[in-house]
Amino acid sequence: MTITETTGSTHTIVTICGTLDASTAPDFRNSPAIADPSRTVVIDLDKMDFLDSSGLGALVGVLRRKQEANATILLSCMNPPVRKVFDITGTCKLFHIFDDTDAANDYAATYLRGR
């Protein structure tokens, strides 16, 4: 898995390429924008090819920490196999999910202006 971060003035776009699973979840949780509880992030999942329960647990755990700090995670570009994991587990109800990163960025900017 590779993680790329693009930091803007209000939020950070985090792009995940590869697999988010038990072996890569610690790297995900320790990446700078993810580890900063007060930083809102848009996570681009277009290049994520696999997500297991450990990866899903990492996403949910980070979301909760960010919400406690008045920030959030927005998910974008979820491919069908990854979306299926969210739908089956019902975790899609926890996240704001967008079809494209531009829409997620617009929402993040609006969300952050309202805080």
Side-chain angles (χ1 to χ4, degrees), residues 1-112:
M1 175 186 73
T2 59
I3 299 172
T4 305
E5 294 187 0
T6 306
T7 301
S9 61
T10 59
H11 63 281
T12 300
I13 300 169
V14 175
T15 304
I16 299 174
C17 297
T19 299
L20 182 54
D21 60 11
S23 66
T24 60
D27 293 336
F28 168 74
R29 284 190 295 267
N30 293 324
S31 65
I34 299 299
D36 179 354
S38 64
R39 186 77 178 162
T40 289
V41 295
V42 172
I43 301 179
D44 182 344
L45 303 173
D46 184 48
K47 295 179 178 142
M48 179 187 286
D49 55 20
F50 181 77
L51 175 70
D52 74 359
S53 61
S54 296
L56 185 60
L59 284 166
V60 171
V62 169
L63 173 66
R64 291 194 173 143
R65 283 192 304 280
K66 287 191 177 287
Q67 288 175 333
E68 289 171 0
N70 202 29
T72 195
I73 291 176
L74 309 171
L75 304 177
S76 70
C77 302
M78 197 178 287
N79 63 46
V82 171
R83 178 64 189 227
K84 188 173 183 178
V85 173
F86 279 83
D87 289 341
I88 288 171
T89 60
T91 51
C92 56
K93 298 172 188 172
L94 300 175
F95 294 90
H96 291 285
I97 301 172
F98 298 86
D99 290 335
D100 62 76
T101 303
D102 289 338
N105 283 330
D106 291 346
Y107 183 89
T110 301
Y111 171 85
L112 293 166

